[in-house]
mmCIF file with all atom_site columns, all heavy atoms in Angstrom:
data_model
loop_
_atom_site.group_PDB
_atom_site.id
_atom_site.type_symbol
_atom_site.label_atom_id
_atom_site.label_alt_id
_atom_site.label_comp_id
_atom_site.label_asym_id
_atom_site.label_entity_id
_atom_site.label_seq_id
_atom_site.pdbx_PDB_ins_code
_atom_site.Cartn_x
_atom_site.Cartn_y
_atom_site.Cartn_z
_atom_site.occupancy
_atom_site.B_iso_or_equiv
_atom_site.pdbx_formal_charge
_atom_site.auth_seq_id
_atom_site.auth_comp_id
_atom_site.auth_asym_id
_atom_site.auth_atom_id
_atom_site.pdbx_PDB_model_num
ATOM 1  N N   . ALA A 1 301 ? -58.720 -36.115 15.522 1.00 97.00 ? 967 ALA A N   1
ATOM 2  C CA  . ALA A 1 301 ? -59.876 -37.005 15.305 1.00 97.00 ? 967 ALA A CA  1
ATOM 3  C C   . ALA A 1 301 ? -60.846 -36.419 14.284 1.00 97.00 ? 967 ALA A C   1
ATOM 4  O O   . ALA A 1 301 ? -61.105 -35.209 14.269 1.00 97.00 ? 967 ALA A O   1
ATOM 5  C CB  . ALA A 1 301 ? -60.604 -37.252 16.626 1.00 97.00 ? 967 ALA A CB  1
ATOM 6  N N   . LYS A 1 302 ? -61.375 -37.309 13.430 1.00 97.00 ? 968 LYS A N   1
ATOM 7  C CA  . LYS A 1 302 ? -62.193 -36.876 12.294 1.00 97.00 ? 968 LYS A CA  1
ATOM 8  C C   . LYS A 1 302 ? -63.373 -36.004 12.737 1.00 97.00 ? 968 LYS A C   1
ATOM 9  O O   . LYS A 1 302 ? -63.608 -34.925 12.183 1.00 97.00 ? 968 LYS A O   1
ATOM 10 C CB  . LYS A 1 302 ? -62.706 -38.117 11.565 1.00 97.00 ? 968 LYS A CB  1
ATOM 11 C CG  . LYS A 1 302 ? -63.432 -37.801 10.280 1.00 97.00 ? 968 LYS A CG  1
ATOM 12 C CD  . LYS A 1 302 ? -63.820 -39.078 9.552  1.00 97.00 ? 968 LYS A CD  1
ATOM 13 C CE  . LYS A 1 302 ? -64.546 -38.732 8.255  1.00 97.00 ? 968 LYS A CE  1
ATOM 14 N NZ  . LYS A 1 302 ? -65.016 -39.935 7.569  1.00 97.00 ? 968 LYS A NZ  1
ATOM 15 N N   . ASN A 1 303 ? -64.096 -36.472 13.750 1.00 97.00 ? 969 ASN A N   1
ATOM 16 C CA  . ASN A 1 303 ? -65.296 -35.725 14.143 1.00 97.00 ? 969 ASN A CA  1
ATOM 17 C C   . ASN A 1 303 ? -64.927 -34.386 14.786 1.00 97.00 ? 969 ASN A C   1
ATOM 18 O O   . ASN A 1 303 ? -65.620 -33.383 14.610 1.00 97.00 ? 969 ASN A O   1
ATOM 19 C CB  . ASN A 1 303 ? -66.177 -36.570 15.071 1.00 97.00 ? 969 ASN A CB  1
ATOM 20 C CG  . ASN A 1 303 ? -65.471 -36.909 16.383 1.00 97.00 ? 969 ASN A CG  1
ATOM 21 O OD1 . ASN A 1 303 ? -64.244 -36.974 16.438 1.00 97.00 ? 969 ASN A OD1 1
ATOM 22 N ND2 . ASN A 1 303 ? -66.253 -37.117 17.421 1.00 97.00 ? 969 ASN A ND2 1
ATOM 23 N N   . LEU A 1 304 ? -63.801 -34.378 15.527 1.00 97.00 ? 970 LEU A N   1
ATOM 24 C CA  . LEU A 1 304 ? -63.402 -33.124 16.173 1.00 97.00 ? 970 LEU A CA  1
ATOM 25 C C   . LEU A 1 304 ? -62.910 -32.101 15.139 1.00 97.00 ? 970 LEU A C   1
ATOM 26 O O   . LEU A 1 304 ? -63.218 -30.914 15.230 1.00 97.00 ? 970 LEU A O   1
ATOM 27 C CB  . LEU A 1 304 ? -62.319 -33.383 17.227 1.00 97.00 ? 970 LEU A CB  1
ATOM 28 C CG  . LEU A 1 304 ? -62.728 -34.251 18.430 1.00 97.00 ? 970 LEU A CG  1
ATOM 29 C CD1 . LEU A 1 304 ? -61.560 -34.423 19.393 1.00 97.00 ? 970 LEU A CD1 1
ATOM 30 C CD2 . LEU A 1 304 ? -63.934 -33.652 19.157 1.00 97.00 ? 970 LEU A CD2 1
ATOM 31 N N   . GLU A 1 305 ? -62.159 -32.567 14.159 1.00 97.00 ? 971 GLU A N   1
ATOM 32 C CA  . GLU A 1 305 ? -61.696 -31.655 13.109 1.00 97.00 ? 971 GLU A CA  1
ATOM 33 C C   . GLU A 1 305 ? -62.892 -31.052 12.377 1.00 97.00 ? 971 GLU A C   1
ATOM 34 O O   . GLU A 1 305 ? -62.966 -29.839 12.148 1.00 97.00 ? 971 GLU A O   1
ATOM 35 C CB  . GLU A 1 305 ? -60.786 -32.384 12.110 1.00 97.00 ? 971 GLU A CB  1
ATOM 36 C CG  . GLU A 1 305 ? -60.221 -31.427 11.048 1.00 97.00 ? 971 GLU A CG  1
ATOM 37 C CD  . GLU A 1 305 ? -59.469 -32.131 9.913  1.00 97.00 ? 971 GLU A CD  1
ATOM 38 O OE1 . GLU A 1 305 ? -60.141 -32.655 8.999  1.00 97.00 ? 971 GLU A OE1 1
ATOM 39 O OE2 . GLU A 1 305 ? -58.231 -32.124 9.940  1.00 97.00 ? 971 GLU A OE2 1
ATOM 40 N N   . ARG A 1 306 ? -63.847 -31.924 12.056 1.00 96.00 ? 972 ARG A N   1
ATOM 41 C CA  . ARG A 1 306 ? -65.039 -31.480 11.327 1.00 96.00 ? 972 ARG A CA  1
ATOM 42 C C   . ARG A 1 306 ? -65.806 -30.422 12.136 1.00 96.00 ? 972 ARG A C   1
ATOM 43 O O   . ARG A 1 306 ? -66.301 -29.439 11.596 1.00 96.00 ? 972 ARG A O   1
ATOM 44 C CB  . ARG A 1 306 ? -65.922 -32.716 11.044 1.00 96.00 ? 972 ARG A CB  1
ATOM 45 C CG  . ARG A 1 306 ? -67.224 -32.445 10.318 1.00 96.00 ? 972 ARG A CG  1
ATOM 46 C CD  . ARG A 1 306 ? -66.956 -32.046 8.872  1.00 96.00 ? 972 ARG A CD  1
ATOM 47 N NE  . ARG A 1 306 ? -68.202 -31.770 8.147  1.00 96.00 ? 972 ARG A NE  1
ATOM 48 C CZ  . ARG A 1 306 ? -68.942 -30.668 8.294  1.00 96.00 ? 972 ARG A CZ  1
ATOM 49 N NH1 . ARG A 1 306 ? -68.584 -29.746 9.156  1.00 96.00 ? 972 ARG A NH1 1
ATOM 50 N NH2 . ARG A 1 306 ? -70.035 -30.496 7.576  1.00 96.00 ? 972 ARG A NH2 1
ATOM 51 N N   . ALA A 1 307 ? -65.851 -30.637 13.447 1.00 97.00 ? 973 ALA A N   1
ATOM 52 C CA  . ALA A 1 307 ? -66.614 -29.720 14.310 1.00 97.00 ? 973 ALA A CA  1
ATOM 53 C C   . ALA A 1 307 ? -65.904 -28.369 14.452 1.00 97.00 ? 973 ALA A C   1
ATOM 54 O O   . ALA A 1 307 ? -66.547 -27.344 14.692 1.00 97.00 ? 973 ALA A O   1
ATOM 55 C CB  . ALA A 1 307 ? -66.811 -30.355 15.684 1.00 97.00 ? 973 ALA A CB  1
ATOM 56 N N   . THR A 1 308 ? -64.603 -28.370 14.291 1.00 97.00 ? 974 THR A N   1
ATOM 57 C CA  . THR A 1 308 ? -63.820 -27.149 14.506 1.00 97.00 ? 974 THR A CA  1
ATOM 58 C C   . THR A 1 308 ? -63.923 -26.184 13.328 1.00 97.00 ? 974 THR A C   1
ATOM 59 O O   . THR A 1 308 ? -63.922 -24.975 13.491 1.00 97.00 ? 974 THR A O   1
ATOM 60 C CB  . THR A 1 308 ? -62.336 -27.534 14.736 1.00 97.00 ? 974 THR A CB  1
ATOM 61 O OG1 . THR A 1 308 ? -62.286 -28.440 15.830 1.00 97.00 ? 974 THR A OG1 1
ATOM 62 C CG2 . THR A 1 308 ? -61.486 -26.321 15.045 1.00 97.00 ? 974 THR A CG2 1
ATOM 63 N N   . LEU A 1 309 ? -64.020 -26.757 12.113 1.00 97.00 ? 975 LEU A N   1
ATOM 64 C CA  . LEU A 1 309 ? -63.981 -25.930 10.906 1.00 97.00 ? 975 LEU A CA  1
ATOM 65 C C   . LEU A 1 309 ? -65.369 -25.534 10.411 1.00 97.00 ? 975 LEU A C   1
ATOM 66 O O   . LEU A 1 309 ? -66.310 -26.310 10.544 1.00 97.00 ? 975 LEU A O   1
ATOM 67 C CB  . LEU A 1 309 ? -63.301 -26.714 9.780  1.00 97.00 ? 975 LEU A CB  1
ATOM 68 C CG  . LEU A 1 309 ? -61.800 -26.895 9.910  1.00 97.00 ? 975 LEU A CG  1
ATOM 69 C CD1 . LEU A 1 309 ? -61.339 -28.019 8.988  1.00 97.00 ? 975 LEU A CD1 1
ATOM 70 C CD2 . LEU A 1 309 ? -61.087 -25.584 9.571  1.00 97.00 ? 975 LEU A CD2 1
ATOM 71 N N   . PRO A 1 310 ? -65.510 -24.367 9.831  1.00 98.00 ? 976 PRO A N   1
ATOM 72 C CA  . PRO A 1 310 ? -66.776 -24.012 9.189  1.00 98.00 ? 976 PRO A CA  1
ATOM 73 C C   . PRO A 1 310 ? -66.897 -24.635 7.791  1.00 98.00 ? 976 PRO A C   1
ATOM 74 O O   . PRO A 1 310 ? -65.919 -24.729 7.063  1.00 98.00 ? 976 PRO A O   1
ATOM 75 C CB  . PRO A 1 310 ? -66.700 -22.485 9.096  1.00 98.00 ? 976 PRO A CB  1
ATOM 76 C CG  . PRO A 1 310 ? -65.250 -22.153 9.127  1.00 98.00 ? 976 PRO A CG  1
ATOM 77 C CD  . PRO A 1 310 ? -64.525 -23.273 9.799  1.00 98.00 ? 976 PRO A CD  1
ATOM 78 N N   . PHE A 1 311 ? -68.105 -25.070 7.472  1.00 98.00 ? 977 PHE A N   1
ATOM 79 C CA  . PHE A 1 311 ? -68.410 -25.598 6.137  1.00 98.00 ? 977 PHE A CA  1
ATOM 80 C C   . PHE A 1 311 ? -69.699 -24.955 5.640  1.00 98.00 ? 977 PHE A C   1
ATOM 81 O O   . PHE A 1 311 ? -70.286 -24.125 6.347  1.00 98.00 ? 977 PHE A O   1
ATOM 82 C CB  . PHE A 1 311 ? -68.564 -27.129 6.195  1.00 98.00 ? 977 PHE A CB  1
ATOM 83 C CG  . PHE A 1 311 ? -67.263 -27.850 6.372  1.00 98.00 ? 977 PHE A CG  1
ATOM 84 C CD1 . PHE A 1 311 ? -66.798 -28.147 7.650  1.00 98.00 ? 977 PHE A CD1 1
ATOM 85 C CD2 . PHE A 1 311 ? -66.485 -28.205 5.277  1.00 98.00 ? 977 PHE A CD2 1
ATOM 86 C CE1 . PHE A 1 311 ? -65.586 -28.803 7.827  1.00 98.00 ? 977 PHE A CE1 1
ATOM 87 C CE2 . PHE A 1 311 ? -65.270 -28.854 5.446  1.00 98.00 ? 977 PHE A CE2 1
ATOM 88 C CZ  . PHE A 1 311 ? -64.821 -29.159 6.724  1.00 98.00 ? 977 PHE A CZ  1
ATOM 89 N N   . ALA A 1 312 ? -70.143 -25.400 4.459  1.00 98.00 ? 978 ALA A N   1
ATOM 90 C CA  . ALA A 1 312 ? -71.337 -24.802 3.849  1.00 98.00 ? 978 ALA A CA  1
ATOM 91 C C   . ALA A 1 312 ? -72.541 -24.837 4.790  1.00 98.00 ? 978 ALA A C   1
ATOM 92 O O   . ALA A 1 312 ? -73.301 -23.868 4.889  1.00 98.00 ? 978 ALA A O   1
ATOM 93 C CB  . ALA A 1 312 ? -71.662 -25.521 2.538  1.00 98.00 ? 978 ALA A CB  1
#
Side-chain angles (χ1 to χ4, degrees):
Chain A
K968 187 176 180 184
N969 63 333
L970 296 180
E971 183 188 80
R972 179 70 180 75
T974 304
L975 288 163
F977 287 91

